[in-house]
Amino acid sequence: MEAVLLKGPTCVGKTRLVVRLSERLPLRIISVDSACVYRGLDIGTAKPAAEEQRAAPHRLVDICSPRERYSAARFAEDARREIARAKVAGRIPLLVGGAMLYFRALERGFAEMPGANSAVRRRIRMQAAADGWPALHVRLKALDPAAADRLSPNDAARIERALEVLELTGRSISSHWPGAPRAAARGYLKFALLPGDREAWRRHIEQRFHGMLERGWLEEAQALRLMRLDPGLPATRIAGYRQLLEHLDGRYPLAEAVARGIRATKALGRRQLTWLRAEADIERLTAEAPRCDARLESAIRAHWKIGRGRFDQRRGKNMTGSAAISRQRD
C-alpha cells in the first residue's frame, strides 16, 4: 500500500483526528490543503496550531509565499517526495486534507498542460471585469461542463485557468485530469471523513469563522493586502480571505463581508462533498461516530501489520519498546 488518504470537507475535524492517531501509530502526516501551503496565512486557513504541529508535524505547510502560484501538479511531486521520505524513516504516510483536485493529481496524475500565458489571462480578466466571473462560469459550463460543475461561479482563479487551457490547447481542462496511468496504478488506503449532522456542521462553520475573526483574522488579511498581490493569485481567492480583502478595499461593510465569507466557506464544503460522493473505492467515516477513530486506526494497523500500543512520535517507538515499522506492506 502506497499511503493512507484521509479526505474530508472543511471544518469536519480532520486535523484533530490525525493528531490523535499520531499518538498511537507511526505516522508521517502530509497536508493536502491548497491554502495551508502559504506562509503568513495562519488563522483563516485553520492551520494546525503550534501544539498540534509539535505533537504531529504536518508536512507541506508554509512551503511557499502568497506571491507564488502553487499547483496540483507541484503538490503531486511534493507529496510523492514526502511519501518516499516517510518510507525511508519507517513511517506510514498519511495524507489529510480537503483539496480534492490535489488528491486527484496524486492518485491519477495530470496530462501535460501549458504554463500560464499572460496575454490570454489579461483578456480573460478584461472579460471578467466587464461581465463578471459568473458570466465566464456560464461560458465555461458550455465548453467544459465537467470542470464548471466543480467550480463556484466566483472561483476566479480556477475559471481563469480552465478558460486559459481551453484557449491554448483547444482541449478542456477536465480532459487532462485522468492523466498518467502509472500514477493511477499506485495503491492507496482511502477514507472520507464526513459530517453526520449537516446542520450542525454548517453551524460549526459559522462559529469557526467568527472565532477566527476574534483571533485576528482581519488583521492577517490586512497584512496580505499590504503585499499588493496580483488579484488573480490563489492566495487572494481563498474563501474568507477574498471577502475580507474586498471589505478592506471598501467594497462591503464588515458584516456583509463576513456573511459572504461564511456562504463561500459553506459552498466550498458542499463542493468537497460532491467530489467525495463520486468516490467509489473509499471507506466513509462519520466524524461524530463514537468509534470513528478506532475504525481508521484498526484499518491502518491491519494493512501495515502493526501491533497494539501507544506510539511516541518523538522517539519513533511504541511505548512497549517495539520499533517503528521497518517496511511497508505492498
Side-chain angles (χ1 to χ4, degrees), residues 11-326:
C11 210
V12 78
K14 300 181 296 295
T15 300
R16 289 193 303 273
L17 175 55
V18 298
V19 170
R20 290 195 299 266
L21 281 178
S22 71
E23 296 176 351
R24 302 189 58 82
L25 294 168
L27 302 176
R28 187 183 186 96
I29 300 171
I30 302 166
S31 172
V32 188
D33 191 302
S34 58
C36 287
V37 296
Y38 295 110
R39 292 186 292 272
L41 307 189
D42 301 327
I43 299 171
T45 61
K47 282 178 186 171
E51 60 270 22
E52 291 173 324
Q53 281 281 44
R54 284 192 294 270
H58 286 52
R59 273 67 181 187
L60 302 188
V61 169
D62 290 337
I63 59 173
C64 59
S65 162
R67 299 184 187 280
E68 298 179 61
R69 289 182 181 273
Y70 194 76
S71 68
R74 179 175 165 187
F75 164 78
E77 293 179 3
D78 290 345
R80 290 190 188 108
R81 183 177 62 251
E82 291 295 343
I83 289 170
R85 287 174 176 170
K87 292 182 175 181
V88 169
R91 298 294 183 96
I92 300 169
L94 189 155
L95 291 90
V96 57
M100 303 305 168
L101 189 62
Y102 284 17
F103 278 117
R104 182 187 288 268
L106 175 66
E107 294 175 71
R108 304 188 188 183
F110 279 113
E112 190 69 25
M113 285 198 291
N117 184 292
S118 58
V120 171
R121 291 193 170 193
R122 190 160 47 248
R123 285 198 299 274
I124 293 171
R125 289 174 194 173
M126 289 175 63
Q127 292 169 358
D131 303 327
W133 287 107
L136 268 66
H137 183 264
V138 171
R139 175 184 164 199
L140 177 63
K141 191 170 183 65
L143 299 169
D144 186 0
D149 286 347
R150 297 189 183 276
L151 301 180
S152 161
N154 289 303
D155 193 341
R158 291 182 174 88
I159 293 170
E160 175 187 77
R161 179 56 175 162
L163 291 172
E164 177 187 37
V165 170
L166 269 165
E167 184 167 340
L168 293 175
T169 69
R171 291 177 56 197
S172 64
I173 196 168
S174 62
S175 70
H176 291 75
W177 287 346
R182 180 176 60 84
R186 299 170 186 263
Y188 296 100
L189 185 62
K190 298 195 288 186
F191 299 88
L193 187 65
L194 305 171
D197 184 336
R198 297 290 179 87
E199 192 56 43
W201 170 61
R202 287 188 283 269
R203 287 196 302 271
H204 185 42
I205 288 174
E206 295 182 24
Q207 292 163 0
R208 186 178 73 168
F209 200 101
H210 288 290
M212 291 190 297
L213 285 170
E214 291 172 2
R215 294 199 303 275
W217 190 5
L218 186 61
E219 290 76 11
E220 190 174 87
Q222 175 65 10
L224 182 65
R225 181 172 178 263
L226 291 174
M227 295 178 71
R228 301 187 183 281
L229 302 176
D230 182 321
L233 284 170
T236 69
R237 317 304 298 179
I238 298 168
Y241 284 94
R242 175 184 177 179
Q243 290 75 25
L244 293 180
L245 289 171
E246 289 171 341
H247 159 68
L248 291 169
D249 286 338
R251 293 182 60 181
Y252 310 114
L254 179 59
E256 183 175 352
V258 169
R260 285 172 176 264
I262 290 172
R263 286 199 298 272
T265 306
K266 290 179 179 178
L268 167 64
R270 288 194 299 272
R271 292 194 301 275
Q272 291 167 321
L273 290 174
T274 298
W275 275 83
L276 290 170
R277 278 198 297 272
E279 294 263 7
D281 55 340
I282 194 166
E283 182 174 350
R284 288 166 172 80
L285 305 171
T286 301
E288 303 93 331
R291 289 191 53 77
C292 176
D293 294 30
R295 282 180 60 189
L296 181 53
E297 180 183 344
S298 295
I300 295 172
R301 287 186 184 279
H303 276 274
W304 271 270
K305 298 180 179 177
I306 306 171
R308 293 286 168 179
R310 186 177 178 85
F311 190 78
D312 185 336
Q313 287 285 354
R314 291 168 298 178
R315 294 189 300 168
K317 295 181 178 180
N318 283 348
M319 298 300 284
T320 57
S322 59
I325 56 171
S326 59

